[in-house]
Every structure is written in C-alpha cells, then in structure tokens.
Amino acid sequence: MVSVRRTKQPSISQLRAFVAVAEHLHFRDAAAAIGMSQPALSGAVSALEEALGVQLLERTTRKVLLSPAGERLAVRARTVLDAVAELMEEAEAAQAPFTGVLRLGVIPTVAPYLLPTVLRLVHRRYPELDLQVHEEQTSSLLEGLAAGRLDLLLLAVPLGVPGVTELPLFDEDFVLVTPEGHPLAGRDDIPREALKELRLLLLDEGHCLRDQALDICREAGRTDGAEVTTTAAGLATLVQLVAGGLGVTLLPRTAVTVETARNTALWTGGFAEPAPSRRIALAMRTGAARHAEFEELAEALREAMGGLPVRVVGAGA
C-alpha cells in the first residue's frame, strides 16, 4: 500500500466547524452554535475536506448529511477537540493552582455529610476555584474520571482500579440503627455476630455502601440465605423504614446525626472493637497534571475534617 503524505494539516478552527455541522446537520445552526459566520463555517469545512482529501458532507438544497467517511471522522474530530480543551485546562491550572474549574464527583452516601466541610474549606482557602459538584454512584464516577468528565472523586475506597490514585482522608465506623425498643438499641458493645440473623435493610444495587454492609455481614458469619431486604434508594428513606419497624440498618458515623435526629423512634448502637468501618479518600487519574494541587487539597481536607466523628489518616496510609 502506498501512503500519501499530505502537506496541509487540519486546523482547530476547521475541526470545530466540522464537528458543529456534524452535530446540527445544519449550517446556520452550526454557525450560530460556535459564533462563526455561515460563509466562514462553510469555507472551513471545505478547507478541511481539501486537507484530508475526503468528502465529509453530502450537501443538498434542503439538508446536510454526513458521508460515511464523515461519520467516522466526526468521532475522531471530537476526540481531538476534547484533547485540546483538556490541554488548555491543564495549562491554565499549571499557571495558577486552585483557579479555574474543578469537577468533583461524590457518592450519595458521602455528599450530604461531608460537602458542608468541603465547601467551607474551598470558599475560605481557595476562593478563585470554581468547584462543580456531581453526585453519582461509584461506577458512574469512575467512568467520568476515566473519560475526563470529572477531575477528582470523593468516595469510599479501596477501588482497585488501574490508573486511579487514591489519597486517603479518614476512616469512620459503622453504627447499627434500630427502632425504639429493639434489644440492641443504645448498646455500645454489639458483637458483629449479632448481624447474622437481623432483618437488615440496605440500599439499592449500585451503592457501594450496600456492598460494604454485605461484606461486614459476611465477615460476621451471615449466610447468603439470611434475609436481606432492599427497599431504599437513599439513606433518608432507609432510616425511616427502620423507624417504622421494618428492620435495622448500618450507617456510617458521619451520617448518623443528619439521618436520625429527625425521628425520636430511631436509636443507634455501637459495635465492640474493632468496629466495622470504611475509608473515605480522594481519587484522581494517576499522573494527573494537577496531582500536586490535589494532594494539597487532600491535606487541607484532613485538617478540616478533624472535628468530625472520624479517624483522620495520613497521606501514606
């Protein structure tokens, strides 16, 4: 096969014009979307076709269609533009740490209880940082991190995912939440073995807290055949089901005050040492250009979370 060496290289402006047309399939709408005049847009796409030696569009008097080659190359063009955008963001971050956009992903069983501390810290110490928060389940957060949609995650670890670096923040114990009058209510020496036969209420599939609770139960000797009822999408609903006498549940200690204070029919119990616990950490792409910035943020969060009912852990833990 003989390769053809092209002397002309596509420009970013040409790629932006082509991707806009590919998305809108209309020259006027595409031009408006990227703030370019319609003649300039048309000229840019024609120049790109000339540079590539490929017809990208099929133009008619009524509509615009992508050619087969255009459909394939539109995907590549979007990837190039995304990479250029990331390049510009990284360059901006390198020039001025803790400025610009930081897209933080947080799991639902952490967000309501830790975000107040995170937001106060960012507002006080990093006022030029544009923090954007996305609450999603762990699998979605990891996909977003890998795709570049998210910059940093706040979630339970270990993840065991290649290409992801964890910055541990703290460990927190689980407590047992029971209805009033339950035999274990108010105790602070509950043995893990007590979980073997309890009617346990858990979050829906996909929540890492559900998996952690099940792991704790298995360690306590609970068999897969023991009754486990999944009826709630969030902790707020879960504890109200407990208050209604449908069973008991496990809560991370940071969630206890928020979720149980509203209902006097809810009681808590602590486990005998060593209590079951989870670790919360920041997670970033390994080798991220902002790694020094994220490590500094992790250290600042460790200091800020010292007043919470948690055990702060060091960077090398």
Side-chain angles (χ1 to χ4, degrees):
M1 179 181 294
V2 178
S3 62
V4 178
R5 183 176 181 180
R6 304 197 178 278
T7 58
K8 294 183 178 180
Q9 295 290 328
S11 69
I12 299 299
S13 177
Q14 292 168 358
L15 293 176
R16 286 182 65 239
F18 170 53
V19 167
V21 174
E23 291 177 351
H24 294 275
L25 296 178
H26 195 287
F27 276 97
R28 185 181 65 240
D29 293 346
I34 63 175
M36 181 182 287
S37 69
Q38 189 170 333
L41 179 99
S42 179
V45 174
S46 296
L48 179 62
E49 290 178 317
E50 181 180 351
L52 298 176
V54 174
Q55 181 180 346
L56 301 172
L57 305 177
E58 296 178 5
R59 302 166 176 83
T60 70
T61 56
R62 294 187 177 181
K63 57 184 177 180
V64 177
L65 298 175
L66 289 175
S67 69
E71 292 181 355
R72 294 167 53 191
L73 293 177
V75 176
R76 297 283 188 179
R78 289 188 186 97
T79 301
V80 171
L81 292 178
D82 289 343
V84 170
E86 290 178 6
L87 173 67
M88 299 304 294
E89 288 180 8
E90 298 288 8
E92 180 181 353
Q95 293 176 0
F98 296 106
T99 62
V101 175
L102 174 58
R103 298 162 296 187
L104 176 68
V106 191
I107 56 175
T109 57
V110 163
Y113 322 112
L114 298 186
L115 277 180
T117 300
V118 174
L119 296 176
R120 280 195 300 269
L121 171 69
V122 170
H123 180 72
R124 183 182 73 252
R125 188 175 295 194
Y126 312 115
E128 299 302 316
L129 186 65
D130 180 8
L131 183 65
Q132 300 177 0
V133 177
H134 302 263
E135 184 185 54
E136 302 170 22
Q137 293 185 10
T138 299
S139 59
S140 177
L141 292 180
L142 289 171
E143 290 173 1
L145 186 69
R149 178 173 60 84
L150 299 172
D151 304 308
L152 193 64
L153 309 181
L154 179 60
L155 72 180
V157 296
L159 300 169
V161 177
V164 175
T165 296
E166 300 170 7
L167 305 174
L169 299 176
F170 62 82
D171 296 330
E172 66 174 327
D173 292 338
F174 284 99
V175 301
L176 186 70
V177 181
T178 72
E180 186 178 16
H182 192 279
L184 298 178
R187 288 181 54 178
D188 59 5
D189 61 347
I190 301 172
R192 293 196 191 199
E193 292 73 20
L195 294 171
K196 287 183 180 180
E197 303 301 331
L198 293 175
R199 181 171 181 176
L200 194 64
L201 301 172
L202 298 176
L203 293 174
D204 291 336
E205 295 279 357
H207 289 275
C208 64
L209 186 58
R210 172 192 170 90
D211 297 331
Q212 291 161 355
L214 289 175
D215 286 342
I216 293 168
C217 291
R218 292 189 191 100
E219 292 172 3
R222 188 184 182 100
T223 63
D224 291 338
E227 184 177 7
V228 174
T229 305
T230 302
T231 53
L235 293 182
T237 302
L238 200 61
V239 296
Q240 296 311 312
L241 295 175
V242 173
L246 296 186
V248 301
T249 195
L250 294 171
L251 281 188
R253 192 166 288 279
T254 52
V256 171
T257 300
V258 173
E259 299 301 347
T260 64
R262 295 187 293 260
N263 196 323
T264 58
L266 290 168
W267 283 62
T268 61
F271 288 91
E273 294 294 338
S277 63
R278 70 173 181 175
R279 174 162 290 186
I280 301 300
L282 292 177
M284 63 180 178
R285 289 184 293 275
T286 301
R290 303 173 73 178
H291 67 92
E293 185 179 338
F294 295 159
E295 288 172 355
E296 181 180 336
L297 177 61
E299 184 57 37
L301 285 173
R302 293 185 192 105
E303 296 175 5
M305 291 175 178
L308 298 176
V310 301
R311 296 182 299 279
V312 175
V313 298

